[in-house]
Amino acid sequence: MYKTSIPLSPLLGLALAAVIAGVSAADGPEPAAPKPAPYPTTALADYVLGCMIANGKNPDTLRKCSCSIDFIAAAIPYADYERIETLMRLQQMEGAGRNAVYKGSTWAKDAVTHFKEIQAESTLRCF
């Protein structure tokens, strides 16, 4: 048997063993195609970064914030999330200009309240 001084990675070793045994990818079931993310990557990253700024910049918080947005994404369709995020940004603006409609309207308050309830539930489950 030939010995080499270069260590083989375990994955490469398994691949070589499969080739030697005559096993190919065609012998097994075809792997399922990955599911597309329910939210765009930029929206996920924006939420996680904001969450980490608020809760701490460490790997544990990264996992918790990722769990939180995954929970929110499962509960709220992206189109609704985008609308609610826009409402929340408009509500934070000072003044009584065009954004006043979004500060005082019942539908806007209800949408933001619903989001905050989902977000609170995600906090209970993930943090």
Side-chain angles (χ1 to χ4, degrees), residues 34-60:
K35 294 180 182 177
Y39 285 23
T41 304
T42 54
L44 298 173
D46 183 55
Y47 182 90
V48 171
L49 288 173
C51 177
M52 289 181 71
I53 289 170
N55 295 297
K57 301 171 190 167
N58 58 62
D60 187 45

Side-chain angles (χ1 to χ4, degrees), residues 60-113:
D60 187 45
T61 304
L62 172 64
R63 284 186 288 281
K64 291 175 180 178
C65 292
S66 296
C67 171
S68 179
I69 191 60
D70 288 345
F71 182 84
I72 292 167
I76 300 173
Y78 179 68
D80 293 346
Y81 174 82
E82 190 175 34
R83 182 174 49 88
I84 293 166
E85 184 182 54
T86 301
L87 287 171
M88 291 173 64
R89 289 179 195 264
L90 288 170
Q91 289 177 351
Q92 291 175 358
M93 297 172 97
E94 293 185 25
R98 294 181 184 180
N99 61 339
V101 171
Y102 303 106
K103 288 183 179 182
S105 69
T106 304
W107 65 269
K109 288 179 183 177
D110 290 346
V112 171
T113 299

Side-chain angles (χ1 to χ4, degrees), residues 3-28:
K3 291 188 178 183
T4 177
S5 61
I6 301 172
L8 296 176
S9 73
L11 185 57
L12 181 58
L14 288 174
L16 286 174
V19 169
I20 292 169
V23 177
S24 71
D27 292 337

